[in-house]
Amino acid sequence: MNYKETLNWMFNKLPMYQAQGATAYREDITNTVLLARHLRNPELRLKCIHVAGTNGKGSTSHLLASVLQEAGYKVGLYTSPHLKDYRERIAINGIPISEDYVCDFINKNKPFFEANELSFFEMSVGLAFEYFVAELTDINIIEVGMGGRLDSTNIITPLISVITNIGLDHTQFLGNTLEAIAFEKAGIIKPNIPVVIGEYTAETKPVFLVKAKETNSEIYFASDLIQEDYPSALLGDYQIQNKKTVLQTLKVLRGNELLSVSETDIKNGFLNVVKNTRLQGRWQQLGDNPKIICDTAHNAHGLTIVINQLKKEHYKRLHIVLGLVNDKNLDEILPLFPRQAIYYFCKPNISRGLDEIILKEKAADFNLIGETYISVSNAYQVAIENANSNDLIYIGGSTFVVAEIL
């Protein structure tokens, strides 16, 4: 199979949460353990930093990778989901895995995948780990897909575990309370391995403290860190906390003499994060006059911060291109959006996409008024045509909406 055929087989023949949602979720890591054994346990030959959390995993992972690249390390980075190309998920020093490597890995192991009914994510984890071993990376940043305890990435023993924050998302899998979700995320904390908590609440802190005590893990709370705020190419307000999380993580690694990173490496890593890692979609400006901003925030925790940042912007009229997936709690998300905006309701082009007519009808209950459009690109184009030079266009609600614009 060529690259396109390989991707089509991966996307269509096996479960993929990004497209299908609940039917693709696996409730244990048995298959991942089988796959690791089949691949001769590449995870045992990797030095890793493991990153979980409701929001900020991607930004935190990319910031860490950028700093370590500036320090001269060969850095593997595994993240999800991808925006445009599957290969974004697996990169070394900002260079995505080659199409040939993806094809060779899938073709070589296809009988095993089919015999054991491996999911899209399980295959991807195995591919990433084998690739990083083959390329002799120095350090690898591994982002959890969902949760932590039962996530396929949780077969690693990292140098340090990082949990960015806890919010109510994926509640059908992880639980419907902050404590329950914190328990699942805390599942990445390993015996005698330090853990950094980015943000905590009164409900989640005790969960982390109990788990850290059980595993004899030193625990650090990054939000309590008093630290200089380094400038960064990532401009969203939520990056303030992500940067603290990264700084605390680096402080622990340096203090334990696990990695060597200078203050200059940190400063340059923050400033060059987009150039070094090719991260997109985080409060990203796409145009001026009118100003156009897109952001991948897609749950109440993330959207609250983004909408508050929108309120700080200066504009005559606000245009919002909005699309969601069908497993989000609309009663929780839609009240966050401003009423004084013109809405362009659309459906991201995946099976999980929420129908734009349903979205419009539900939004009307919260006095969010606008029209429906047949695609994200159509909604975006009409917004551009309607906007004056002193207006603001915001595109968001889902990672997949942003991906279609980019």
Side-chain angles (χ1 to χ4, degrees):
M1 297 186 292
N2 62 27
Y3 181 63
K4 184 176 181 181
E5 291 167 341
T6 298
L7 288 190
N8 286 339
W9 182 82
M10 292 175 72
F11 291 166
N12 297 323
K13 300 299 183 183
L14 294 171
M16 177 187 175
Y17 179 80
Q18 181 169 339
Q20 296 173 227
T23 58
Y25 182 65
R26 289 282 169 80
E27 294 186 346
D28 62 58
I29 59 173
T30 302
N31 274 5
T32 308
V33 172
L34 285 174
L35 175 60
R37 189 178 305 147
H38 170 73
L39 299 175
R40 293 181 295 181
N41 295 103
E43 77 282 1
L44 299 180
R45 288 167 277 166
L46 295 173
K47 288 184 178 180
C48 299
I49 298 171
H50 205 186
V51 182
T54 301
N55 292 305
K57 296 190 300 293
S59 295
T60 298
S61 296
H62 283 77
L63 284 166
L64 280 167
S66 181
V67 170
L68 294 172
Q69 283 174 233
E70 293 286 346
Y73 290 101
K74 187 174 185 179
V75 184
L77 179 60
Y78 176 74
T79 57
S80 62
H82 61 272
L83 285 174
K84 301 297 291 182
D85 182 354
Y86 170 78
R87 297 182 305 129
E88 297 167 27
R89 293 169 177 251
I90 304 168
I92 297 175
N93 283 10
I95 307 301
I97 189 172
S98 70
E99 294 182 358
D100 286 344
Y101 200 102
V102 175
C103 294
D104 290 346
F105 177 83
I106 296 300
N107 289 330
K108 179 176 65 176
N109 296 290
K110 187 178 175 186
F112 180 86
F113 297 152
E114 292 180 322
N116 292 279
E117 298 184 333
L118 263 70
S119 72
F120 172 89
F121 193 79
E122 288 163 346
M123 287 189 297
S124 298
V125 168
L127 170 57
F129 291 175
E130 181 174 281
Y131 180 62
F132 295 153
V133 168
E135 293 296 314
L136 302 176
T137 52
D138 298 314
I139 185 68
N140 305 277
I141 317 299
I142 308 298
E143 180 190 338
V144 167
M146 187 198 305
R149 183 174 64 93
L150 302 177
D151 189 77
S152 293
T153 64
N154 204 28
I155 61 172
I156 62 174
T157 300
L159 300 179
I160 190 168
S161 303
V162 180
I163 302 173
T164 57
N165 52 53
I166 302 298
L168 293 174
D169 198 15
H170 303 304
T171 54
Q172 66 270 50
F173 310 115
L174 306 180
N176 56 14
T177 67
L178 293 176
E179 293 93 336
I181 295 172
F183 174 80
E184 293 298 326
K185 308 284 186 187
I188 71 165
I189 302 175
K190 302 293 195 306
N192 304 306
I193 301 297
V195 57
V196 169
I197 308 299
E199 298 175 85
Y200 62 85
T201 66
E203 297 91 343
T204 63
K205 188 174 184 179
V207 177
F208 296 135
L209 289 171
V210 167
K211 181 65 175 180
K213 185 176 181 180
E214 287 176 1
T215 57
N216 193 38
S217 301
E218 291 289 338
I219 187 167
Y220 303 85
F221 294 97
S223 55
D224 297 338
L225 184 68
I226 299 173
Q227 180 75 45
E228 175 188 352
D229 182 22
Y230 295 95
S232 171
L234 302 181
L235 302 177
D237 285 354
Y238 49 82
Q239 300 297 353
I240 295 171
Q241 188 55 52
N242 291 333
K243 287 189 287 185
K244 274 193 171 188
T245 303
V246 171
L247 290 170
Q248 180 69 79
T249 301
L250 293 170
K251 184 177 180 180
V252 176
L253 291 169
R254 293 163 78 190
N256 293 342
E257 298 184 348
L258 296 171
L259 291 171
S260 177
V261 178
S262 70
E263 289 298 306
T264 300
D265 297 330
I266 296 172
K267 290 177 181 178
N268 290 339
F270 281 21
L271 287 172
N272 297 328
V273 59
V274 174
K275 182 179 74 173
N276 286 345
T277 69
R278 306 186 185 188
L279 179 62
Q280 296 190 85
R282 275 66 171 184
W283 196 260
Q284 182 175 349
Q285 186 168 341
L286 304 179
D288 288 299
N289 305 316
K291 188 173 185 178
I292 304 172
I293 297 290
C294 69
D295 194 278
T296 57
H298 55 273
N299 53 46
H301 183 275
L303 284 167
T304 296
I305 301 171
V306 169
I307 298 302
N308 285 337
Q309 188 164 359
L310 266 181
K311 293 174 182 177
K312 300 175 186 177
E313 294 285 334
H314 299 287
Y315 50 79
K316 185 174 182 180
R317 293 184 303 170
L318 175 60
H319 305 257
I320 296 182
V321 177
L322 183 63
L324 300 168
V325 292
N326 58 22
D327 54 4
K328 296 300 178 186
N329 184 341
L330 300 184
D331 290 328
E332 184 180 58
I333 287 175
L334 291 176
L336 302 173
F337 284 89
R339 296 179 180 180
Q340 281 70 47
I342 303 166
Y343 284 86
Y344 304 76
F345 300 111
C346 51
K347 175 187 174 183
N349 188 28
I350 58 169
S351 58
R352 287 174 61 210
L354 177 65
D355 184 272
E356 68 276 11
I357 296 174
I358 295 174
L359 177 57
K360 177 186 175 181
E361 292 173 350
K362 188 65 177 178
D365 293 341
F366 301 96
N367 296 311
L368 309 180
I369 307 303
E371 299 300 328
T372 59
Y373 298 87
I374 59 173
S375 67
V376 173
S377 58
N378 178 235
Y380 179 47
Q381 188 58 46
V382 174
I384 291 175
E385 292 170 0
N386 289 347
N388 295 324
S389 60
N390 54 359
D391 288 352
L392 174 65
I393 300 174
Y394 172 79
I395 307 111
S398 166
T399 299
F400 310 110
V401 170
V402 173
E404 290 186 47
I405 296 302
L406 294 176

